[in-house]
Amino acid sequence: MARVAVVTGGTRGIGEAICLALKEAGFTVAANYVGSDERAKAFTDKTGIPAFKWNVGDHQATLDSIMAIEEQLGPVDVAVNNAGITRDGTLLKMSFEAWKEVIDVNLGGCFNVSKAVFPGMRQRGWGRIVNIGSINGQAGQYGQVNYAAAKSGIHGFTKALAQEGAKFGITVNAIAPGYIDTDMVAAVPPEVLEKIVAKIPVGRLGQAHEIARGVAFLCSEDGGFVTGSTLSINGGQHMY
Ligand code: CAA
């Protein structure tokens, strides 16, 4: 039977590309989303991948939803923590809510989903957790103390959980995307984005499928010796 993979923030952008890549690799995929029901329905109609609505920043909702997915599709062997939001602004202008929301969703979501799937993976002796970090968690970014802290936290989380999972056949890795052509990056003011792209050695934004291929590798049998690592996919913008 096909292994089940859950991808958070899976109905658009990088998450959608990851869902498609994992489906193509033979996984039964479940996508999580929190925003538009209409867009999620369009995603399911187009891909045949079911979408489950909950806020990954909500601990109990995450435990309940993963349980519902497992009842419907079977035990979750792969979790891709991709859901992420931005609330950019300099520290002087950043509200406590903008700080907390980004930490709760981007970093808290990673904890909540891992907490829900890890015990089963441990019991079955096989698992893949891939956390989507960011170049901005590695290098920092003006106007993103919340996002950079959460993403940097994801990189530490990955290395810690990798140590806990190793002897149970569970690999835990991160991918650190650079600037990828998605709605999130499109929200950066054009004059700011232009300056950022000028600093990318390959001279362009990345494409979502270029992140998804990396995730598919880390989730494969061949990825079994890779754990606690961070794969940077950023066009050479930050060599870490
Ligand atoms: N380094 C140094 N100084 C900078 C700077 C930088 N990178 N960016 C702006 N400044 C300076 C400006 O020159 C300006 O200086 P003066 O007042 O002396 O002229 C000052 O900071 C204020 O800048 P803004 O007018 O831009 O301030 P703002 O409050 O209107 O906007 C901002 C600040 C919201 C952070 C805006 O600059 C912005 O959106 N920046 C982009 C942030 C970004 O890259 N986000 C990434 C989103 S995509 C993502 O996160 C995905 C991923 O993982 C890669």
Side-chain angles (χ1 to χ4, degrees):
M1 230 176 59
R3 293 187 186 279
V4 175
V6 172
V7 180
T8 67
T11 62
R12 65 193 182 117
I14 292 175
E16 178 175 11
I18 293 170
C19 283
L20 293 173
L22 292 181
K23 186 178 176 195
E24 197 184 305
F27 292 97
T28 297
V29 181
N32 147 269
Y33 74 103
V34 76
S36 160
D37 294 330
E38 208 177 310
R39 195 172 42 221
K41 187 177 175 313
F43 164 83
T44 298
D45 290 346
K46 188 171 78 178
T47 62
I49 296 170
F52 296 82
K53 186 175 191 174
W54 84 90
N55 175 3
V56 296
D58 181 332
H59 184 65
Q60 193 56 49
T62 304
L63 298 181
D64 294 345
S65 302
I66 295 287
M67 201 184 286
I69 290 172
E70 295 202 318
E71 274 166 19
Q72 206 170 309
L73 302 176
V76 173
D77 284 333
V78 173
V80 183
N81 289 307
N82 165 73
I85 57 170
T86 52
R87 298 287 181 266
D88 292 354
T90 54
L91 179 72
L92 283 180
K93 292 182 191 166
M94 188 178 290
S95 65
F96 176 68
E97 288 68 32
W99 162 262
K100 189 166 165 15
E101 208 181 338
V102 168
I103 298 292
D104 285 353
V105 172
N106 297 14
L107 183 55
C110 202
F111 172 82
N112 294 335
V113 171
S114 301
K115 183 82 181 157
V117 299
F118 195 80
M121 291 177 174
R122 196 172 177 277
Q123 222 168 21
R124 295 186 296 279
W126 198 94
R128 298 280 186 267
I129 296 176
V130 181
N131 301 318
I132 304 301
S134 168
I135 185 174
N136 293 347
Q138 297 171 311
Q141 170 62 38
Y142 189 100
Q144 282 200 311
V145 294
N146 50 4
Y147 187 89
K151 292 295 188 178
S152 186
I154 283 177
H155 294 301
F157 177 98
T158 299
K159 291 182 236 183
L161 190 59
Q163 294 179 31
E164 296 181 22
K167 65 172 179 276
F168 302 104
I170 305 168
T171 68
V172 187
N173 291 288
I175 288 191
Y179 282 73
I180 308 300
D181 191 6
T182 59
D183 292 348
M184 184 185 273
V185 166
V188 175
E191 65 286 0
V192 177
L193 188 57
E194 204 177 304
K195 285 189 196 142
I196 291 171
V197 174
K199 289 190 188 142
I200 303 175
V202 304
R204 64 171 174 86
L205 294 175
Q207 295 298 317
H209 70 83
E210 294 175 305
I211 304 301
R213 299 312 305 165
V215 175
F217 167 68
L218 292 171
C219 295
S220 69
E221 289 296 337
D222 284 346
F225 200 57
V226 184
T227 195
S229 76
T230 297
L231 175 58
S232 297
I233 305 181
N234 62 28
Q237 191 184 347
H238 180 65
M239 299 185 187
Y240 183 73

